[in-house]
Amino acid sequence: MRTLKALIGLAVVVAGIYLAYRLIPPYFANFQLEDAIESEARLGSYSNKSEAEIVDIVLKKARDLDIPLRAEQVHVLRDSNGLTIWAEYTVHVDLPGRPVDLKFRPSTSNKAQTGARF
């Protein structure tokens, strides 16, 4: 009985490690993409980059991170208040017995500062 409990415990630990191995990388890549989007929104608020150029920068970063992102999934909105960037994509993860689709929506908004107040 003690050996059976040890085997079940080991199986649970191995299953947990396997799930982490399969599920953590898409979340980490999303975190890195969101960081890049925030940086681009911060810089893009004060630059003359077009929306298409910003989309290209986001797509390049997504390709570097192996994120399945297409141009029509990246949205850029520039108005008098600043710049908003968001993307929507899904990552398919094949798990034994049950494939999972992880939906991500990294986004950020940056308000342009018009002048310093003291």
Side-chain angles (χ1 to χ4, degrees):
M1 189 65 160
R2 189 173 180 175
T3 306
L4 181 62
K5 286 182 182 180
L7 287 176
I8 291 173
L10 181 62
V12 168
V13 170
V14 168
I17 290 171
Y18 178 76
L19 285 175
Y21 173 74
R22 298 291 292 172
L23 294 175
I24 289 176
Y27 283 98
F28 187 68
N30 180 65
F31 174 75
Q32 289 179 307
L33 180 64
E34 191 160 347
D35 187 47
I37 288 174
E38 286 176 11
S39 177
E40 191 56 42
R42 213 173 304 116
L43 297 173
S45 294
Y46 303 104
S47 73
N48 293 329
K49 290 180 186 174
S50 69
E51 284 83 359
E53 290 173 317
I54 294 171
V55 168
D56 288 341
I57 291 168
V58 172
L59 288 174
K60 182 183 180 309
K61 184 63 176 179
R63 269 192 309 274
D64 292 345
L65 296 170
D66 294 326
I67 292 175
L69 192 60
R70 296 183 315 271
E72 60 269 9
Q73 295 172 305
V74 180
H75 309 280
V76 178
L77 176 65
R78 185 186 301 269
D79 59 13
S80 60
N81 293 332
L83 182 66
T84 302
I85 305 171
W86 73 96
E88 299 175 18
Y89 66 96
T90 302
V91 175
H92 182 78
V93 178
D94 285 321
L95 296 176
R98 184 170 185 218
V100 176
D101 287 330
L102 304 173
K103 297 180 186 297
F104 294 102
R105 191 175 192 269
S107 64
T108 190
S109 181
N110 191 52
K111 294 184 180 182
Q113 300 294 320
T114 56
R117 294 184 184 151
F118 296 100

